[in-house]
């Protein structure tokens, strides 16, 4: 058993992380190259990974940088890569992302376990014609009310993973259908949901009706409106600046829920919509804001994903989606590795980039020190033996 464990540790330590990433993209054909393509899939992926993991964080800069560093390997131009990418479509790329996740999650033993979930919109401002495909209305940001919008489904807490990405089309979001669709995805993944956390954009009757129908516990940061503030003003006159909870709905036929108003001396009332039982306002006042802080893990996740961002001015929705999926995939690889290793986003970027330069500079076909599936097997093996060792230690205490 000990030799098996040591072999798995050694194999994980010597694996090429560039190989792990590029083989994952290759196995699931994140893009399909056109017939007669002049460049190989591996060269395209390495150029994309170089853009995502180096200071040359645009495709143009990454291509030019690799051309300077390469002695033997021919590097495609950014225009050529964009042409190859645009032979694909958005749904194909998102389908490939889901297939890659299925492989990654096998090593992490997340199925059948209860996880808290965060759902959020990730908006990328757009400054061109709002009739461009895949452009939708977004919360105004950096001088634009239009942009590319993706809805992400994330596990938050000790495990942090982006489970799914949905491209938002059109000018209006159908929240009821979107929430229903996302939880159908979770059911297919065999993920059990503890509580779902959402921001103010989801505080509407459609979202709450969908979650209530699905019997999902939720905590949503709530918006203030004249009706709510009128209720709170009357409460404050009678009881002073105290926290409270009351039943509320958005319209006559809307779904009822609990609106928790926690009072802060500086900020006034902070509002949360929830369907959780209220047994004690004192306990509820303490637990709900504390629970909601878990949602900030998704904000941290966005910052980590931005470490792998490929910057571009392209209007192509296919390229935009591919670049976002690459961010999410590298974020998931990072968190998969964190289940075994102490590694940061910066270290992962550096290790991938070092391997890319080795392959490009010396014309190597690959750095397949360990195949991807075997890497996952070793990762899974190491996690199992580690848990077994911990359990045995606890039994001896």
């Amino acid at each position: 058993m000990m030799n098996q464990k040591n072999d798995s540790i050694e194999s994980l330590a010597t694996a090429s992380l560039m190989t792990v990433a590029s083989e994952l993209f290759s196995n699931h054909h994140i893009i399909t190259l056109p017939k007669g393509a002049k460049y190989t899939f591996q060269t395209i992926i390495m150029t994309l990974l170089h853009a995502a993991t180096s200071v040359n964080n645009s495709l143009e800069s990454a291509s030019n940088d690799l051309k300077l560093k390469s002695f033997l390997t021919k590097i495609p131009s950014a225009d050529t890569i964009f042409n190859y990418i645009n032979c694909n479509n958005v749904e194909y790329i998102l389908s490939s992302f889901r297939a890659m996740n299925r492989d990654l999650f096998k090593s992490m033993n997340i199925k059948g376990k209860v996880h808290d979930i965060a759902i959020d919109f990730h908006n990328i401002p757009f400054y061109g014609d709002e009739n461009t495909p895949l452009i939708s209305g977004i919360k105004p940001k950096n001088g634009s009310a239009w942009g590319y919008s993706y809805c992400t489904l994330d596990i938050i807490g000790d495990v942090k993973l982006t489970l799914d990405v949905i491209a938002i089309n059109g000018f209006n979001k159908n929240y009821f259908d979107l929430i229903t669709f996302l939880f159908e995805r979770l059911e297919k993944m065999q993920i059990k949901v503890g509580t779902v956390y959402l921001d103010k954009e989801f505080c509407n009757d459609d979202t709450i009706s969908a979650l209530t129908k699905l019997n999902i516990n939720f905590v949503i940061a709530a918006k203030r409106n004249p009706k709510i503030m009128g209720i709170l003003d009357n409460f404050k006159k009678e009881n002073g600046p105290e926290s409270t909870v009351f039943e509320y709905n958005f319209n006559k036929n809307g779904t009822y829920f609990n609106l928790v108003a926690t009072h802060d001396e500086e900020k006034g009332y902070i509002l949360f919509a929830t369907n959780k039982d209220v047994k004690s306002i004192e306990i509820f006042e303490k637990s709900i804001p504390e629970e909601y802080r878990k949602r900030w893990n998704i904000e941290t996740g966005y910052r980590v994903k931005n470490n792998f961002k490929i910057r571009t001015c392209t209007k192509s929705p296919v390229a935009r989606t591919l670049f976002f999926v690459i961010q999410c995939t590298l974020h998931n690889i990072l968190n998969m590795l964190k289940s075994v290793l102490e590694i940061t986003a910066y270290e992962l970027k550096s290790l991938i980039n070092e391997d890319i330069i080795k392959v490009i500079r010396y014309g190597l076909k690959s750095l397949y020190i360990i195949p991807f599936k075997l890497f996952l097997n070793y990762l899974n093996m190491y996690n199992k033996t580690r848990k077994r060792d911990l359990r045995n230690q606890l039994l001896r205490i």
Side-chain angles (χ1 to χ4, degrees):
M1 179 65 69
M2 184 59 70
N3 288 338
Q4 188 181 42
K5 182 177 178 181
N6 289 338
D7 286 345
S8 66
I9 293 171
E10 184 178 352
S11 296
L12 291 169
T14 58
S16 162
L17 294 180
M18 184 275 290
T19 296
V20 169
S22 62
E23 192 182 350
L24 180 63
F25 287 122
S26 178
N27 286 349
H28 298 286
H29 304 285
I30 190 65
I31 57 170
T32 300
L33 302 189
K35 289 183 179 179
K38 182 179 176 181
Y39 298 93
T40 66
F41 184 90
Q42 187 185 17
T43 306
I44 300 298
I45 288 300
M46 282 196 296
T47 309
L48 287 164
L49 285 174
H50 189 56
T53 60
S54 71
V55 293
N56 305 289
N57 57 1
S58 74
L59 199 49
E60 292 83 357
S61 297
S63 172
N64 291 334
D65 184 58
L66 289 182
K67 285 178 181 178
L68 290 173
K69 289 181 167 67
S70 174
F71 298 147
L72 300 172
T73 307
K74 291 184 178 181
I75 305 299
S77 68
D79 286 343
T80 297
I81 297 176
F82 276 121
N83 288 336
Y84 288 2
I85 292 171
N86 288 326
C87 292
N88 298 265
N89 62 61
V90 169
E91 278 310 313
Y92 174 85
I93 290 170
L94 293 178
S95 177
S96 296
F97 172 67
R98 292 165 195 140
M100 288 190 292
N101 276 349
R102 285 194 290 272
D103 265 3
L104 284 173
F105 299 161
K106 285 176 185 175
S107 69
M108 301 191 70
N109 195 26
I110 62 172
K111 287 184 179 181
K113 295 184 177 180
V114 177
H115 300 279
D116 289 334
I117 299 292
I119 300 173
D120 212 347
F121 291 113
H122 185 93
N123 298 323
I124 303 170
F126 180 76
Y127 301 96
D129 182 357
E130 62 264 27
N131 294 311
T132 299
L134 210 67
I135 293 299
S136 60
I138 64 171
K139 185 187 299 182
K141 181 180 179 181
N142 299 334
S144 177
W146 301 96
Y148 294 94
S149 185
Y150 302 96
C151 186
T152 55
L153 188 64
D154 285 67
I155 288 179
I156 56 177
D158 294 335
V159 177
K160 300 175 182 65
L161 294 167
T162 298
L163 299 173
D164 207 350
V165 174
I166 307 295
I168 303 299
N169 295 290
F171 301 104
N172 297 309
K173 300 184 180 85
N174 185 322
Y175 288 90
F176 188 94
D177 288 347
L178 179 62
I179 294 295
T180 303
F181 178 74
L182 287 170
F183 279 91
E184 285 175 358
R185 293 276 194 197
L186 281 172
E187 189 174 356
K188 288 179 181 177
M189 294 179 208
Q190 300 177 39
I191 300 293
K192 295 182 180 179
V193 180
T195 301
V196 59
Y197 296 89
L198 306 104
D199 70 4
K200 291 180 181 179
E201 190 168 356
F202 289 91
C203 193
N204 54 60
D205 186 62
D206 282 347
T207 297
I208 289 171
S209 294
L211 292 170
T212 302
K213 184 177 179 180
L214 292 165
N215 198 28
I216 300 292
N217 286 334
F218 62 81
V219 177
I220 310 174
K223 302 174 184 177
R224 302 184 185 197
N225 63 33
K227 181 182 173 182
I228 291 172
M229 294 314 296
I231 294 170
L232 290 175
D233 286 342
N234 290 334
F235 174 83
K236 194 172 181 179
K237 287 175 184 177
E238 294 180 10
N239 302 279
E242 299 289 333
S243 297
T244 185
V245 60
F246 52 92
E247 199 173 51
Y248 186 80
N249 66 348
F250 286 107
N251 53 63
K252 185 178 179 181
N253 298 315
T255 302
Y256 280 92
F257 58 92
N258 291 319
L259 191 66
V260 182
T262 64
H263 190 270
D264 183 275
E265 291 185 4
E266 295 181 2
K267 299 178 181 178
Y269 283 108
I270 301 170
L271 307 178
F272 298 95
T274 183
N275 58 349
K276 293 194 170 187
D277 291 335
V278 183
K279 296 179 180 178
S280 162
I281 183 58
E282 289 80 13
I283 295 174
F284 215 60
E285 179 188 9
K286 292 177 182 178
S287 65
I288 288 294
E290 187 63 33
E291 285 184 17
Y292 190 77
R293 285 192 186 95
K294 292 180 182 178
R295 207 202 79 85
W296 295 117
N297 281 327
I298 198 172
E299 307 297 340
T300 303
Y302 282 148
R303 289 195 292 274
V304 173
K305 287 173 194 170
N306 281 336
N307 282 303
F308 306 110
K309 186 173 184 177
I310 300 175
R311 302 189 183 278
T312 182
C313 295
T314 183
K315 295 180 181 180
S316 164
V318 182
R320 289 276 187 173
T321 302
L322 175 64
F323 293 172
F324 185 63
V325 160
I326 289 172
Q327 281 182 256
C328 294
T329 303
L330 290 173
H331 169 261
N332 284 349
I333 289 173
L334 175 66
N335 285 293
M336 176 190 73
L337 294 171
K338 280 184 174 181
S339 68
V340 171
L341 310 169
E342 290 187 7
I343 186 169
T344 65
Y346 176 78
E347 288 168 335
L348 177 61
K349 288 172 64 172
S350 297
L351 290 168
I352 289 175
N353 233 333
E354 286 174 11
D355 286 345
I356 289 172
I357 300 306
K358 288 176 186 175
V359 171
I360 293 297
R361 179 164 286 168
Y362 302 111
L364 302 175
K365 289 185 178 180
S366 67
L367 287 171
Y368 284 108
I369 297 171
I370 173 173
F372 176 70
K373 286 189 177 180
L374 189 57
F375 179 88
L376 291 183
N377 288 340
Y378 277 130
L379 189 68
N380 195 36
M381 185 192 307
Y382 177 71
N383 271 326
K384 284 180 179 178
T385 54
R386 186 176 61 168
K387 288 176 184 176
R388 189 182 297 117
D389 289 347
L390 177 60
R391 189 163 55 247
N392 291 337
Q393 287 176 19
L394 291 172
L395 290 172
R396 288 196 294 269
I397 293 176

